[in-house]
Amino acid sequence: MQDPNYVRDAFSRIAERYVSTNHVLSLGIDVLWRKRVAQLVEGWQPNSVLDVATGSGDLAMAIREVLPKETRIVGSDFCEPMLNEARKRFDGEWLVADAMDMPFADAEFDALTVAFGLRNMADWPKALQEMRRVLGPEGHLLILDFSQPGGTFGKGYDFYLTKVLPKIAGALTGHADAYEYLGGSIQKFPSGKDMLDLVEANGFTDGYWEPLSGGIASIYTARCC
């Protein structure tokens, strides 16, 4: 679990180059991950969606593309410079809000997504409980985040994550420390069954895990109890 002041500062510093840097570091695969998330959300047919830790708004807009225009989609983030990037790129409902204490009513949304955001929060159980609060009965949760592949591939991925990625990102953004933090945060973050256990211990049921791209990222879905 993370220091929110450091996280806010780190993302504020890289906000303007966040999107382009991500595309380079992932070789564009992040676009395919968001399309898969949008496909799953579309299947739920929600009337309202909250994208927590929306950052530059890419996931919220991927979801916007597949849902009816009358569907309410809100993107929230506690880092205003990141939200400013979303506002520059997309029309939408963007709100500065801390995921640990969101300014939404109980049961206000039918679905909630969080991509590469839960990992950066100060208290994972508390954050999940707050997400549970703003979801309605039978509401759907979807988490997209990096995970830890096993075997030889996993060892190679760890080397890239801790040794190669910070150097490339540092050259692109001028802030290598933010991406050194990224590697460490991924290694500490629960994945696979451990993530499902965490989700189900904090108000959700029917947990499902879908590894992506050999396990370097994963989608987790669950439903409100």
Side-chain angles (χ1 to χ4, degrees), residues 92-171:
E93 188 176 347
W94 311 111
L95 181 69
V96 178
D98 190 333
M100 309 297 293
D101 184 18
M102 294 188 281
F104 303 114
D106 294 355
E108 186 166 341
F109 295 94
D110 299 322
L112 185 151
T113 58
V114 53
F116 310 109
L118 178 61
R119 171 172 41 84
N120 296 316
M121 295 177 191
D123 187 323
W124 302 328
K126 182 178 178 181
L128 286 166
Q129 291 161 22
E130 179 67 352
M131 293 174 195
R132 171 66 184 85
R133 181 187 68 79
V134 302
L135 279 169
E138 304 296 312
H140 292 274
L141 170 72
L142 187 149
I143 299 165
L144 168 64
D145 217 308
F146 292 111
S147 48
Q148 291 284 290
T152 302
F153 176 63
K155 292 179 181 178
Y157 175 66
D158 281 345
F159 180 81
Y160 171 75
L161 193 63
T162 58
K163 305 297 182 183
V164 178
L165 183 148
K167 292 182 179 178
I168 298 173

Side-chain angles (χ1 to χ4, degrees), residues 166-186:
K167 292 182 179 178
I168 298 173
L172 292 171
T173 67
H175 297 288
D177 67 297
Y179 290 88
E180 291 168 355
Y181 155 81
L182 171 67
S185 71
I186 292 170

Side-chain angles (χ1 to χ4, degrees), residues 10-31 33-34 56 58 82 85 89 116 146 160-161 164-180 182:
F11 280 95
S12 295
R13 287 184 284 123
I14 64 175
E16 291 186 358
R17 297 187 179 181
Y18 179 79
V19 174
S20 59
T21 301
N22 280 359
H23 290 337
V24 171
L25 295 174
S26 72
L27 304 177
I29 297 172
D30 60 310
V31 175
W33 296 342
R34 285 192 291 274
S56 52
D58 295 80
M82 289 294 290
E85 294 304 306
R89 300 169 66 222
F116 310 109
F146 292 111
Y160 171 75
L161 193 63
V164 178
L165 183 148
K167 292 182 179 178
I168 298 173
L172 292 171
T173 67
H175 297 288
D177 67 297
Y179 290 88
E180 291 168 355
L182 171 67

Side-chain angles (χ1 to χ4, degrees), residues 64-83:
R64 169 82 285 161
E65 289 176 1
V66 302
L67 293 180
K69 63 181 180 179
E70 63 269 19
T71 304
R72 182 189 181 202
I73 300 176
V74 180
S76 70
D77 202 292
F78 83 150
C79 179
E80 186 152 25
M82 289 294 290
L83 273 186

Side-chain angles (χ1 to χ4, degrees), residues 35 37-43 61-68:
K35 286 185 177 180
V37 169
Q39 181 183 45
L40 290 169
V41 174
E42 182 183 21
M61 289 301 99
I63 294 169
R64 169 82 285 161
E65 289 176 1
V66 302
L67 293 180

